[in-house]
Amino acid sequence: MKRIYLIASIVLITVLGFSQNIEEIDPQLTNKTWVDSETRTINGYQVTRIDGTDYGNSRNASSGMITSVAYKKEGIGGELEFYITRYEQSLANLKWFMIIIRDEDDKDKIFEQKLDYQAPEMPDGNYFWNYTSIKLPNNIHPPFYVYIRDRNMEMLYSTKFLIEE
């Protein structure tokens, strides 16, 4: 009997430990595709999609191909949250994406980072998804522009957002 209690305790501690490490993703990042000029309030900041790649018939859908960002204040600095969905598992790997941040006038580049390999999560429906948060230097504060470069796309950038307070 003591052995059963010991095993149950270990399982409970393990499950609670893993559940605390799971990062909750804001539904504003995941709930539907964006349209140009759409603004959402995420983490208390205004995020406006300026323009971006049209992924076909998923525009304005409640689910589908999503490219989404948000800013989150963390101490004296901040983090950029990045969420995507794609039809193919290989296209949802973060290694294909680059983040570029430009100043409030959209003139000077103030940050750039190619994302590292991160395999996508199993699909929820027909789409593979991926999420990461990127620590930003302390000198980056809204307003600023975020360019999401999908290196699988042929254009110079795929999606552009403006983040404001």
Side-chain angles (χ1 to χ4, degrees), residues 112-125:
E112 178 178 311
Q113 182 173 332
K114 283 184 178 178
L115 300 181
D116 294 328
Y117 176 93
Q118 181 173 308
E121 298 295 327
M122 292 302 290
D124 181 19

Side-chain angles (χ1 to χ4, degrees), residues 36-69:
D36 291 349
S37 302
E38 178 183 357
T39 300
R40 299 180 190 175
T41 301
I42 307 172
N43 302 325
Y45 293 89
Q46 299 297 309
V47 181
T48 303
R49 177 182 146 145
I50 304 300
D51 59 28
T53 302
D54 184 356
Y55 290 105
N57 63 4
S58 66
R59 302 270 291 171
N60 293 321
S62 61
S63 65
M65 301 265 285
I66 298 170
T67 300
S68 202
V69 297

